[in-house]
Amino acid sequence: MATILGTSSAAILAYRPFSKPSIPSLSLTSSGLSFGREYYGGIGLVGKKGRPPFQVAVACVATDIGSVEEAQKLASKENQRPVYPFAAIVGQDEMKLCLLLNVIDPRIGGVMIMGDRGTGKSTTVRSLVDLLPEIKVVAGDPYNSDPEDPESMGIEVRESVVKGEDLAVVMANINMVDLPLGATEDRVCGTIDIEKALTEGVKAFEPGLLAKANRGILYVDEVNLLDDHLVDVLLDSAASGWNTVEREGISISHPARFILIGSGNPEEGELRPQLLDRFGMHAQVGTVRDAELRVKIVEERARFDKNPKEFRHSYKAEQEKLRQQIASARACLSSVQIDHDLKVKISKVCAELNVDGLRGDIVTNRAAKSLAALKGRDQVTAEDIATVIPNCLRHRLRKDPLESIDSGLLVIEKFYEVFS
């Protein structure tokens, strides 16, 4: 197991059990991700499907319009490029857990995934699309503005609210936007039509990828190869939550709050410390060494390539179970509590490890709450903290070139020293 998961927290905890032997570790099953009865058992999705954003007086007409909309959505979904199901991914439990926790609480700040080539990093991240829940957005707004949160509203939407105008609200799935390595700065930030601004006297702005990623996920594959000027743009947006475009004396700003997910191979270069610190969690992915497990992965991939539609259908039940699990966890997250004594111990671990700043403390608290919500509990335990703290602090330790011990092991050792 340790060879499969590398230095993942689940594998480490298996060798050094805490006060109880029932530390929540992730298991490898034929259906992919399995959390056991604590995770899936007895947690149902509570809520009603939202009504359409309009009403028609004639009942039969309203029914026809609703059915046409559903048919169009279904048709567009069927025509999209098939995505490998998240539940079908074998192994890589540490990476999958980090991704799920960020979907439950976007304030964790994203996840950086580092590992060998061909270990399913990009496949796992892109498979997350099917599990993303729906959120309320202002209809027709290019920034996916939140109708209930002024901080997540575009300037035009906020002006409409100030004027007392009614906003048309619709339900939409959370976006996942891919940031290509060769993207230009204008494509990422957006462009201003100078000619239209001069001739018509209006700010003609064409939103970029950051606008599309607002309240969603921004994924950067091979993030350690990203150009420095794009890294600077991401740092600025991640720090402020807003993207500002300055062109020829014209300034336009829009909200850009997103979950930043990056993946890369450490052999191709290290990430700049400023950007690495912006990732809430850090997951390490290793190559699967078990021969039987490797054969299973190859066979599952061959099934998907042969008939993607049939393969996705075979995992429909597991996918739906995961969606309900995420929706339930998001709904009860605000009610999850963590004792003051546990908060003090988390901060003590961070202080004794010489972690710079307070992001490590904040992210560990949030990740532990998300894990408790995922298990269906309203109270954080020491086991929850033991599971997430290596991923929250591993990339925040100061690098010692002479140190041969993995930073995740150092975090675990300090955790047991403080919590025992």
Side-chain angles (χ1 to χ4, degrees):
M1 185 70 175
T3 58
I4 296 173
L5 297 181
T7 58
S8 70
S9 56
I12 296 168
L13 294 175
Y15 286 99
R16 298 183 59 179
F18 193 59
S19 57
K20 300 178 182 179
S22 58
I23 291 176
S25 61
L26 301 166
S27 59
L28 304 171
T29 65
S30 60
S31 60
L33 184 64
S34 173
F35 293 113
R37 294 182 180 177
E38 264 192 318
Y39 280 70
Y40 283 159
I43 299 179
L45 177 60
V46 179
K48 298 181 180 179
K49 188 176 180 181
R51 293 182 178 179
F54 51 82
Q55 294 181 350
V56 182
V58 183
C60 61
V61 176
T63 304
D64 291 341
I65 293 175
S67 61
V68 169
E69 280 190 342
E70 291 296 327
Q72 289 176 346
K73 287 182 180 179
L74 184 61
S76 62
K77 191 173 182 179
E78 289 294 330
N79 291 329
Q80 290 176 352
R81 185 171 58 181
V83 178
Y84 198 86
F86 189 89
I89 295 173
V90 180
Q92 312 303 7
D93 305 304
E94 180 180 341
M95 170 175 57
K96 292 189 287 188
L97 180 59
C98 290
L99 291 172
L100 289 178
L101 295 183
N102 273 273
V103 174
I104 293 170
D105 186 2
R107 297 178 305 164
I108 290 175
V111 55
M112 178 65 202
I113 305 168
M114 296 296 283
D116 303 330
R117 297 179 294 270
T119 49
K121 299 184 294 293
S122 58
T123 299
T124 305
V125 174
R126 293 189 173 100
S127 68
L128 203 63
V129 172
D130 288 337
L131 303 179
L132 297 179
E134 289 186 336
I135 56 175
K136 291 181 180 179
V137 299
V138 177
D141 183 69
Y143 311 118
N144 303 314
S145 296
D146 187 349
E148 300 172 355
D149 182 13
E151 288 296 320
S152 299
M153 290 182 181
I155 301 299
E156 295 179 357
V157 175
R158 190 177 297 184
E159 290 176 353
S160 299
V161 172
V162 171
K163 293 176 183 178
E165 299 176 2
D166 292 332
L167 300 177
V169 180
V170 296
M171 299 297 293
N173 285 98
I174 293 178
N175 277 334
M176 177 177 284
V177 179
D178 276 290
L179 177 59
L181 292 179
T184 63
E185 188 173 341
D186 284 346
R187 181 69 186 99
V188 176
C189 298
T191 58
I192 297 175
D193 191 339
I194 302 298
E195 182 180 354
K196 191 171 183 180
L198 295 176
T199 56
E200 301 180 19
V202 296
K203 293 182 179 180
F205 179 65
E206 182 181 344
L209 296 178
L210 292 181
K212 188 178 180 182
N214 185 42
R215 300 182 65 207
I217 296 175
L218 183 65
Y219 174 50
V220 188
D221 196 8
E222 306 294 347
V223 65
N224 45 348
L225 301 180
L226 197 64
D227 290 338
D228 284 343
H229 68 282
L230 293 182
V231 172
D232 295 336
V233 169
L234 290 181
L235 282 173
D236 185 42
S237 298
S240 64
W242 284 77
N243 174 45
T244 302
V245 181
E246 301 276 356
R247 297 287 188 277
E248 305 295 335
I250 300 175
S251 176
I252 293 181
S253 298
H254 66 79
R257 300 177 184 272
F258 46 79
I259 302 172
L260 183 60
I261 298 179
S263 62
N265 184 354
E267 295 179 357
E268 296 171 351
E270 294 294 331
L271 202 61
R272 280 172 56 178
Q274 299 92 332
L275 183 58
L276 185 61
D277 186 59
R278 289 293 172 183
F279 289 96
M281 304 182 77
H282 187 287
Q284 286 188 350
V285 181
T287 303
V288 176
R289 302 300 179 188
D290 183 81
E292 291 292 333
L293 200 56
R294 291 169 73 110
V295 170
K296 178 174 177 56
I297 295 172
V298 172
E299 290 176 345
E300 292 288 274
R301 184 70 206 190
R303 283 181 54 208
F304 175 77
D305 293 337
K306 183 178 180 180
N307 193 334
K309 187 175 181 180
E310 181 181 331
F311 183 81
R312 285 171 55 84
H313 183 74
S314 65
Y315 281 94
K316 187 176 180 180
E318 288 86 348
Q319 290 281 97
E320 185 59 33
K321 198 176 288 185
L322 264 176
R323 287 192 201 96
Q324 293 184 5
Q325 185 74 26
I326 292 172
S328 299
R330 284 171 64 96
C332 68
L333 180 63
S334 59
S335 63
V336 177
Q337 301 295 323
I338 179 170
D339 291 338
H340 179 74
D341 181 55
L342 293 180
K343 292 180 181 179
V344 172
K345 289 183 177 180
I346 290 174
S347 294
K348 188 175 180 181
V349 171
C350 295
E352 295 190 7
L353 288 173
N354 295 320
V355 175
D356 294 332
L358 295 175
R359 284 201 185 98
D361 307 56
I362 296 171
V363 170
T364 304
N365 279 269
R366 289 174 176 171
K369 287 183 178 181
S370 297
L371 182 56
L374 190 61
K375 297 178 186 177
R377 289 190 277 100
D378 60 358
Q379 195 71 29
V380 173
T381 65
E383 286 79 9
D384 297 330
I385 300 171
T387 303
V388 301
I389 198 169
N391 304 113
C392 298
L393 301 182
R394 173 189 288 141
H395 57 301
R396 305 183 192 278
L397 303 186
R398 295 183 180 180
K399 301 296 181 183
D400 184 356
L402 301 179
E403 184 64 69
S404 59
I405 302 177
D406 179 73
S407 53
L409 287 172
L410 295 176
V411 175
I412 282 293
E413 288 179 358
K414 184 59 67 175
F415 167 84
Y416 280 106
E417 181 182 321
V418 171
F419 276 73
S420 60

